[in-house]
Amino acid sequence: MCTLGKSIALKSEVLGEERGITIGEEKAYRSVALNLFKRNTPLSEIASIVKEPVDTIRKWLDEAK
């Protein structure tokens, strides 16, 4: 494989890892949000904890039903 091909492959691998990390983090935040909601934590407090807008928290909770 030429140097350009190796560079492209490496960049693709790095981007894939970053995407995987992002997906994993969101999955964890969703889980935390759901658990806090089950403990009757106010949506505004959940949003503050996971650093996401209240609308996003509502969407996640609706999707979890």
Coordinates of all heavy atoms in Angstrom, one line a residue:
M1 N 0.9 -1.2 0.0 CA 0.0 0.0 0.0 C 0.9 1.2 0.0 O 1.9 1.3 0.7 CB -0.9 0.0 1.2 CG -1.9 1.1 1.3 SD -3.0 1.1 2.7 CE -3.8 -0.4 2.7
C2 N 0.5 2.2 -0.8 CA 1.3 3.4 -0.9 C 1.1 4.3 0.4 O 0.2 4.1 1.2 CB 1.0 4.2 -2.1 SG -0.7 4.9 -2.1
T3 N 2.0 5.2 0.5 CA 1.9 6.1 1.7 C 0.6 6.8 1.8 O 0.0 7.0 2.9 CB 3.1 7.2 1.6 OG1 4.3 6.5 1.5 CG2 3.1 8.0 2.8
L4 N 0.1 7.3 0.6 CA -1.2 8.0 0.6 C -2.3 7.0 1.1 O -3.2 7.4 1.9 CB -1.6 8.5 -0.8 CG -2.9 9.2 -0.9 CD1 -3.0 10.4 0.0 CD2 -3.1 9.6 -2.4
G5 N -2.3 5.8 0.6 CA -3.3 4.8 1.0 C -3.2 4.5 2.5 O -4.3 4.4 3.2
K6 N -2.0 4.4 3.0 CA -1.8 4.2 4.5 C -2.4 5.3 5.3 O -3.0 5.2 6.3 CB -0.4 3.9 4.8 CG 0.1 2.6 4.4 CD 1.6 2.5 4.7 CE 2.2 1.2 4.2 NZ 3.6 1.0 4.4
S7 N -2.1 6.5 4.8 CA -2.6 7.7 5.5 C -4.1 7.8 5.5 O -4.7 8.1 6.5 CB -2.1 9.0 4.8 OG -2.6 10.1 5.4
I8 N -4.7 7.5 4.4 CA -6.2 7.4 4.3 C -6.8 6.4 5.2 O -7.8 6.6 5.9 CB -6.7 7.3 2.8 CG1 -6.3 8.5 2.0 CG2 -8.2 7.0 2.8 CD1 -6.5 8.3 0.5
A9 N -6.2 5.2 5.2 CA -6.6 4.1 6.1 C -6.5 4.5 7.6 O -7.4 4.2 8.4 CB -5.8 2.8 5.8
L10 N -5.4 5.1 7.9 CA -5.2 5.5 9.3 C -6.2 6.6 9.7 O -6.8 6.5 10.8 CB -3.8 6.0 9.5 CG -3.4 6.5 10.9 CD1 -3.6 5.3 11.9 CD2 -2.0 7.0 11.0
K11 N -6.5 7.5 8.9 CA -7.5 8.6 9.2 C -8.8 8.0 9.3 O -9.6 8.4 10.2 CB -7.5 9.7 8.1 CG -8.4 10.8 8.4 CD -8.2 12.0 7.4 CE -9.0 13.1 7.9 NZ -8.6 14.4 7.4
S12 N -9.2 7.0 8.5 CA -10.5 6.4 8.6 C -10.6 5.6 9.9 O -11.7 5.6 10.5 CB -10.7 5.4 7.4 OG -10.8 6.1 6.2
E13 N -9.5 5.0 10.3 CA -9.5 4.2 11.6 C -9.8 5.2 12.7 O -10.6 4.9 13.6 CB -8.2 3.5 11.7 CG -8.2 2.6 13.0 CD -6.9 1.8 13.1 OE1 -6.3 1.5 12.0 OE2 -6.5 1.6 14.2
V14 N -9.1 6.3 12.7 CA -9.2 7.3 13.8 C -10.6 7.8 13.8 O -11.2 8.0 14.9 CB -8.2 8.4 13.6 CG1 -8.4 9.6 14.6 CG2 -6.8 7.9 13.9
L15 N -11.2 8.2 12.7 CA -12.5 8.7 12.6 C -13.5 7.7 13.1 O -14.5 8.0 13.8 CB -12.9 9.1 11.2 CG -12.2 10.4 10.7 CD1 -12.5 10.6 9.2 CD2 -12.5 11.6 11.5
G16 N -13.3 6.4 12.8 CA -14.2 5.3 13.3 C -14.1 5.2 14.8 O -15.2 5.0 15.4
E17 N -12.9 5.3 15.3 CA -12.8 5.2 16.8 C -13.5 6.4 17.5 O -14.2 6.2 18.4 CB -11.3 5.2 17.2 CG -10.6 3.9 16.9 CD -9.1 4.0 17.2 OE1 -8.7 4.9 17.9 OE2 -8.4 3.1 16.8
E18 N -13.3 7.6 16.9 CA -14.0 8.7 17.5 C -15.5 8.6 17.4 O -16.2 8.9 18.4 CB -13.6 10.0 16.7 CG -12.1 10.4 17.0 CD -11.6 11.5 16.1 OE1 -12.4 12.0 15.3 OE2 -10.5 12.0 16.4
R19 N -16.0 8.1 16.3 CA -17.5 7.9 16.2 C -18.0 6.8 17.2 O -19.0 7.0 17.8 CB -17.8 7.4 14.7 CG -19.2 7.1 14.5 CD -20.0 8.4 14.3 NE -21.4 8.0 13.9 CZ -22.5 8.4 14.6 NH1 -22.3 9.2 15.6 NH2 -23.6 8.0 14.3
G20 N -17.2 5.8 17.4 CA -17.5 4.8 18.4 C -17.6 5.3 19.8 O -18.4 5.0 20.6
I21 N -16.6 6.1 20.1 CA -16.6 6.8 21.4 C -17.8 7.6 21.6 O -18.4 7.6 22.7 CB -15.2 7.5 21.6 CG1 -14.1 6.6 21.7 CG2 -15.3 8.5 22.8 CD1 -12.7 7.2 21.6
T22 N -18.1 8.4 20.6 CA -19.3 9.3 20.7 C -20.6 8.5 20.9 O -21.4 8.9 21.8 CB -19.4 10.2 19.4 OG1 -18.2 10.9 19.3 CG2 -20.6 11.1 19.5
I23 N -20.7 7.4 20.2 CA -21.9 6.6 20.3 C -21.9 6.0 21.7 O -23.0 6.0 22.4 CB -21.9 5.5 19.3 CG1 -22.2 6.1 17.9 CG2 -23.0 4.4 19.6 CD1 -22.0 5.1 16.7
G24 N -20.8 5.5 22.2 CA -20.7 4.9 23.6 C -21.1 6.0 24.7 O -21.8 5.6 25.6
E25 N -20.6 7.2 24.5 CA -20.8 8.2 25.5 C -22.3 8.5 25.5 O -22.9 8.7 26.6 CB -20.0 9.5 25.2 CG -18.6 9.3 25.5 CD -17.7 10.5 25.1 OE1 -18.2 11.3 24.3 OE2 -16.6 10.7 25.5
E26 N -22.9 8.7 24.3 CA -24.4 9.0 24.3 C -25.2 7.9 25.0 O -26.1 8.1 25.7 CB -24.9 9.2 22.9 CG -26.3 9.6 22.9 CD -26.9 9.9 21.5 OE1 -26.2 10.6 20.7 OE2 -28.0 9.5 21.2
K27 N -24.8 6.6 24.7 CA -25.5 5.5 25.3 C -25.4 5.6 26.8 O -26.4 5.3 27.5 CB -24.9 4.2 24.8 CG -25.7 3.0 25.2 CD -25.1 1.7 24.5 CE -25.8 0.5 24.9 NZ -25.3 -0.7 24.3
A28 N -24.2 5.9 27.3 CA -24.1 6.0 28.8 C -24.9 7.2 29.3 O -25.6 7.0 30.4 CB -22.6 6.2 29.1
Y29 N -24.9 8.3 28.7 CA -25.7 9.5 29.1 C -27.2 9.1 29.1 O -27.9 9.5 30.0 CB -25.5 10.7 28.3 CG -24.1 11.3 28.4 CD1 -23.5 11.9 27.3 CD2 -23.3 11.2 29.5 CE1 -22.2 12.5 27.3 CE2 -22.1 11.7 29.6 CZ -21.5 12.4 28.5 OH -20.2 12.9 28.6
R30 N -27.6 8.4 28.1 CA -29.0 8.0 28.0 C -29.4 7.1 29.2 O -30.5 7.3 29.8 CB -29.3 7.3 26.7 CG -29.4 8.1 25.5 CD -29.6 7.3 24.3 NE -29.8 8.1 23.1 CZ -30.9 8.2 22.4 NH1 -32.0 7.5 22.8 NH2 -31.0 8.9 21.3
S31 N -28.5 6.2 29.6 CA -28.7 5.3 30.7 C -28.8 6.1 32.0 O -29.7 5.8 32.8 CB -27.6 4.3 30.7 OG -27.8 3.4 31.8
V32 N -27.9 7.0 32.2 CA -27.9 7.8 33.4 C -29.2 8.6 33.5 O -29.8 8.7 34.5 CB -26.7 8.7 33.4 CG1 -26.8 9.8 34.5 CG2 -25.4 7.9 33.6
A33 N -29.6 9.2 32.4 CA -30.8 10.1 32.3 C -32.0 9.2 32.7 O -32.9 9.6 33.5 CB -31.0 10.7 31.0
L34 N -32.1 8.0 32.2 CA -33.3 7.2 32.5 C -33.3 6.8 33.9 O -34.3 6.8 34.6 CB -33.2 5.9 31.6 CG -34.4 4.9 31.7 CD1 -35.7 5.6 31.4 CD2 -34.2 3.8 30.8
N35 N -32.1 6.4 34.5 CA -32.0 6.0 35.9 C -32.4 7.2 36.8 O -33.1 7.0 37.8 CB -30.7 5.5 36.2 CG -30.4 4.1 35.6 OD1 -31.4 3.3 35.5 ND2 -29.2 3.8 35.3
L36 N -31.9 8.3 36.5 CA -32.3 9.5 37.3 C -33.8 9.8 37.2 O -34.4 10.2 38.2 CB -31.5 10.7 36.8 CG -30.0 10.7 37.2 CD1 -29.2 11.8 36.5 CD2 -29.8 10.7 38.7
F37 N -34.3 9.7 36.0 CA -35.8 9.9 35.8 C -36.6 8.9 36.7 O -37.6 9.3 37.3 CB -36.1 9.8 34.3 CG -37.6 10.1 34.1 CD1 -38.1 11.3 34.1 CD2 -38.4 9.0 33.7 CE1 -39.4 11.6 33.8 CE2 -39.8 9.3 33.5 CZ -40.3 10.5 33.5
K38 N -36.1 7.7 36.7 CA -36.8 6.7 37.5 C -36.8 7.0 39.0 O -37.6 6.5 39.8 CB -36.2 5.3 37.3 CG -36.6 4.7 35.9 CD -35.9 3.4 35.7 CE -36.3 2.8 34.3 NZ -35.6 1.5 34.1
R39 N -35.8 7.8 39.4 CA -35.7 8.2 40.8 C -36.3 9.6 41.0 O -36.1 10.2 42.0 CB -34.2 8.3 41.2 CG -33.5 7.0 41.2 CD -32.0 7.2 41.5 NE -31.4 5.9 41.6 CZ -30.6 5.5 42.6 NH1 -30.4 6.3 43.6 NH2 -30.1 4.3 42.6
N40 N -37.2 10.0 40.1 CA -37.9 11.2 40.2 C -37.1 12.5 40.2 O -37.5 13.5 40.8 CB -38.9 11.2 41.4 CG -39.9 10.1 41.2 OD1 -40.5 9.9 40.2 ND2 -40.1 9.3 42.3
T41 N -35.9 12.4 39.6 CA -35.1 13.6 39.5 C -35.7 14.5 38.4 O -36.1 14.1 37.3 CB -33.7 13.2 39.0 OG1 -33.2 12.2 39.9 CG2 -32.7 14.4 39.0
P42 N -35.8 15.8 38.7 CA -36.4 16.8 37.7 C -35.6 16.8 36.4 O -34.4 16.6 36.4 CB -36.3 18.1 38.4 CG -36.2 17.8 39.9 CD -35.5 16.5 40.0
L43 N -36.3 17.0 35.3 CA -35.7 17.0 34.0 C -34.6 18.0 33.9 O -33.5 17.8 33.3 CB -36.7 17.2 32.9 CG -37.7 16.1 32.6 CD1 -38.6 16.4 31.5 CD2 -37.0 14.8 32.4
S44 N -34.8 19.2 34.5 CA -33.8 20.2 34.4 C -32.5 19.8 35.1 O -31.4 20.1 34.7 CB -34.3 21.5 35.0 OG -34.7 21.3 36.4
E45 N -32.6 19.1 36.2 CA -31.5 18.6 36.9 C -30.7 17.5 36.1 O -29.5 17.5 36.1 CB -31.8 18.1 38.3 CG -30.7 17.8 39.2 CD -31.1 17.5 40.6 OE1 -32.2 17.8 41.0 OE2 -30.2 16.8 41.3
I46 N -31.5 16.6 35.5 CA -30.9 15.6 34.7 C -30.2 16.2 33.5 O -29.0 15.8 33.2 CB -32.0 14.6 34.1 CG1 -32.7 13.9 35.3 CG2 -31.4 13.6 33.1 CD1 -33.9 13.1 34.8
A47 N -30.8 17.2 32.9 CA -30.1 17.9 31.8 C -28.8 18.5 32.2 O -27.8 18.5 31.5 CB -31.1 19.0 31.2
S48 N -28.8 19.1 33.4 CA -27.6 19.7 33.9 C -26.5 18.7 34.2 O -25.3 18.9 33.9 CB -27.9 20.4 35.2 OG -26.8 21.0 35.8
I49 N -26.9 17.5 34.7 CA -25.9 16.5 35.0 C -25.3 15.9 33.8 O -24.1 15.7 33.7 CB -26.6 15.3 35.9 CG1 -27.0 15.9 37.3 CG2 -25.7 14.1 36.0 CD1 -27.9 15.0 38.0
V50 N -26.1 15.6 32.8 CA -25.5 15.0 31.6 C -25.1 16.0 30.5 O -24.7 15.6 29.4 CB -26.5 13.9 30.9 CG1 -26.7 12.8 31.9 CG2 -27.8 14.5 30.5
K51 N -25.3 17.3 30.8 CA -24.9 18.4 30.0 C -25.6 18.3 28.6 O -24.9 18.4 27.5 CB -23.4 18.5 29.8 CG -22.7 18.8 31.2 CD -21.2 18.8 31.0 CE -20.6 19.2 32.3 NZ -20.5 18.3 33.4
E52 N -26.9 18.1 28.6 CA -27.7 18.1 27.4 C -28.9 18.9 27.6 O -29.4 19.1 28.7 CB -28.1 16.6 27.0 CG -27.0 15.7 26.6 CD -26.5 16.0 25.2 OE1 -27.2 16.7 24.4 OE2 -25.4 15.5 24.9
P53 N -29.5 19.5 26.5 CA -30.7 20.3 26.7 C -31.9 19.4 27.2 O -31.9 18.2 26.9 CB -31.0 20.8 25.3 CG -29.8 20.5 24.5 CD -29.0 19.4 25.1
V54 N -32.8 20.0 27.9 CA -34.0 19.3 28.4 C -34.8 18.6 27.3 O -35.3 17.5 27.4 CB -34.9 20.3 29.2 CG1 -36.2 19.6 29.6 CG2 -34.2 20.8 30.4
D55 N -34.9 19.3 26.1 CA -35.6 18.7 25.0 C -34.9 17.3 24.6 O -35.6 16.4 24.2 CB -35.6 19.6 23.8 CG -36.5 20.8 24.0 OD1 -37.4 20.7 24.9 OD2 -36.3 21.8 23.3
T56 N -33.6 17.3 24.6 CA -32.9 16.0 24.3 C -33.2 15.0 25.3 O -33.5 13.8 25.0 CB -31.4 16.3 24.2 OG1 -31.1 17.2 23.2 CG2 -30.6 15.0 23.9
I57 N -33.3 15.4 26.6 CA -33.6 14.4 27.6 C -35.0 13.9 27.4 O -35.3 12.6 27.5 CB -33.5 15.1 29.0 CG1 -32.1 15.6 29.3 CG2 -33.9 14.1 30.1 CD1 -30.9 14.7 29.1
R58 N -35.9 14.7 27.1 CA -37.3 14.3 26.9 C -37.4 13.3 25.7 O -38.1 12.3 25.8 CB -38.2 15.5 26.5 CG -38.6 16.3 27.7 CD -39.7 17.3 27.3 NE -40.0 18.2 28.4 CZ -39.7 19.5 28.5 NH1 -39.1 20.0 27.4 NH2 -40.0 20.2 29.5
K59 N -36.6 13.6 24.6 CA -36.6 12.7 23.5 C -36.0 11.4 23.9 O -36.6 10.3 23.5 CB -35.7 13.3 22.4 CG -35.5 12.5 21.1 CD -34.6 13.2 20.2 CE -34.2 12.2 19.1 NZ -32.9 12.4 18.7
W60 N -34.9 11.3 24.6 CA -34.4 10.1 25.1 C -35.4 9.3 25.9 O -35.5 8.1 25.7 CB -33.1 10.3 25.9 CG -31.9 10.8 25.1 CD1 -31.8 10.9 23.8 CD2 -30.7 11.3 25.7 NE1 -30.6 11.5 23.5 CE2 -29.9 11.7 24.6 CE3 -30.2 11.4 27.0 CZ2 -28.6 12.2 24.8 CZ3 -29.0 12.0 27.2 CH2 -28.2 12.3 26.1
L61 N -36.1 10.0 26.8 CA -37.0 9.3 27.7 C -38.2 8.7 26.9 O -38.7 7.6 27.1 CB -37.5 10.2 28.8 CG -36.4 10.6 29.8 CD1 -37.0 11.7 30.7 CD2 -35.8 9.4 30.5
D62 N -38.7 9.5 25.9 CA -39.7 9.0 25.0 C -39.3 7.8 24.2 O -40.1 6.8 24.0 CB -40.2 10.1 24.0 CG -41.0 11.2 24.7 OD1 -41.5 11.0 25.8 OD2 -41.1 12.3 24.1
E63 N -38.0 7.8 23.7 CA -37.5 6.6 23.0 C -37.3 5.4 23.9 O -37.4 4.3 23.4 CB -36.2 7.0 22.3 CG -36.4 8.0 21.2 CD -35.0 8.5 20.7 OE1 -34.0 8.2 21.2 OE2 -35.1 9.3 19.7
A64 N -37.1 5.6 25.1 CA -36.9 4.5 26.1 C -38.2 3.8 26.5 O -38.2 2.7 27.0 CB -36.2 5.0 27.3
K65 N -39.3 4.4 26.2 CA -40.6 3.8 26.6 C -41.0 2.6 25.7 O -40.7 2.5 24.6 CB -41.7 4.9 26.5 CG -41.6 5.9 27.6 CD -42.7 6.9 27.5 CE -42.5 8.0 28.5 NZ -43.5 9.0 28.4

